[in-house]
Amino acid sequence: MKEVILFADNDADSRKSWGRILMRAGYDVQLARNPEEARDILDRMEIDVAVLDLRLVDDKDKNDISGLLLAKEE
């Protein structure tokens, strides 16, 4: 059974690129573009590793720590 990686990033290009790289490496990759999608995946599936963007909501807001808050929830 493949290991499952959750990759959450609000940047579409990063999600697409890293998703492709990780899939080629043999992982089952679940992609999320925001905290809500990531939570939904975490609720539905068993995840082996989560890679979370620190500023998952707003890359321009230096105070955005939504990725860290999501990690703390889990």
Side-chain angles (χ1 to χ4, degrees), residues 1-28:
M1 182 173 233
K2 289 184 179 181
E3 292 178 320
V4 181
I5 295 177
L6 166 61
F7 189 89
D9 194 325
N10 61 334
D11 181 82
D13 291 335
S14 291
R15 273 194 323 274
K16 184 178 178 181
S17 296
W18 280 106
R20 191 176 313 133
I21 290 166
L22 293 167
M23 283 185 228
R24 285 183 185 157
Y27 297 101
D28 177 1

Side-chain angles (χ1 to χ4, degrees), residues 6 8 34-36 38-39 42 47 49-56 64-74:
L6 166 61
N34 57 46
E36 292 77 25
R39 278 187 202 98
L42 288 165
I47 300 295
V49 175
V51 179
L52 307 172
D53 180 13
L54 178 63
R55 291 188 207 121
L56 192 50
D64 177 17
I65 58 168
S66 53
L68 180 61
L69 295 174
L70 178 63
K72 285 179 149 185
E73 286 176 17
E74 297 304 319

